[in-house]
Amino acid sequence: MSAASSANPLKGKVIITCALTGSIHTPTMSPHLPITPDEIVAEAVKAAEAGAAVLHLHARDPETGKPDQTPEGFARFLPRIKQSTNAALNLTTGGSPYMTVEERVRPAAQFKPEVASLNMGSMNFGLFHLAEKYDSFKHDWEKPFLESTRDLVFRNSFKDIEYVLSTCYENDTRFEFECYDISHLYNLAHFVDRGLIKPPFFVQSVFGLLGGIGTHPEDVLHMKRTADRLFGDAYRWSVLGAGSAQLRIAAQAAALGGNVRVGLEDSLWAGKGKLAESSADQVTMVRKIIEGLGLEIATPGEAREILSLKGPDKVGF
């Protein structure tokens, strides 16, 4: 072991975050998308066993599969996942672009998780092109939901961001700062400069959503170079690539010293034309890439240390 690695045993450890269901994909798109609380719990356990140190969680209506941002929706699975895994649990404050920020923050405010996601800027959020891929849908809400995003701006104003920060930081919740474009890094820097965000902060660079930055390797490098220049060693970098770009971008980021996020929220696929049967499939695939690069995945305990999380005994569920 080198002197450098001996001095910092966490150097070279890669945190795998797994996002299990999200609010983008609809039930028609994959029979494997977890909808019910039982399905979300089962998926969480499998992903953690496969190597995910952080689980990013959304709730859905168990009958229709629509996004559900009520605390009651999260209460159906949060305690069960906590009892079944040691992974750090990360609650969305993104919810759905059609919800108010007050609705979106309620689960994180009530349950006081170790981590909550926070979108760092307003943006066009286009999913309408996905509607063209399906001749029919299981539920009446799906096609209108997708097509309506042709005229959708996902609002995350400075006031909204400050509201989420002030609501959740009182609970010692840290954030997965979701940055869909370069401007979102500058928005994050604004709040850092104001002292509202304390290091180390966890920056999740998002690639491939229509309305955000693309998936070219130069886009990934541009994100990292900009974050390095703005934040130096005060941040921990992670990436997620949407759809078919998922593993390619994960491999690039891991090789550059970053962390990765996978899961059915971000991509339904486990190879060209092959639906992933579980988010755990993608965790297994990205773990092979990481270990093939001579790196090691972080355990939940190591991820907590890297991200300065408060620990599972201090959450509200």
Side-chain angles (χ1 to χ4, degrees), residues 24 123-127 180 206-215 240 242:
I24 291 175
M123 59 184 293
N124 291 329
F125 203 84
L127 308 174
Y180 294 75
V206 183
F207 301 90
L209 268 292
L210 184 58
I213 199 168
T215 61
L240 74 89

Side-chain angles (χ1 to χ4, degrees), residues 203-252:
V203 175
Q204 189 71 257
S205 296
V206 183
F207 301 90
L209 268 292
L210 184 58
I213 199 168
T215 61
H216 193 279
E218 286 295 332
D219 294 325
V220 180
L221 289 171
H222 187 32
M223 270 278 195
K224 185 174 191 302
R225 283 192 297 257
T226 304
D228 285 345
R229 177 166 46 79
L230 291 173
F231 309 124
D233 61 1
Y235 83 109
R236 309 292 176 259
W237 185 51
S238 183
V239 302
L240 74 89
S244 62
Q246 184 183 71
L247 294 180
R248 172 171 54 79
I249 286 178
Q252 182 180 0

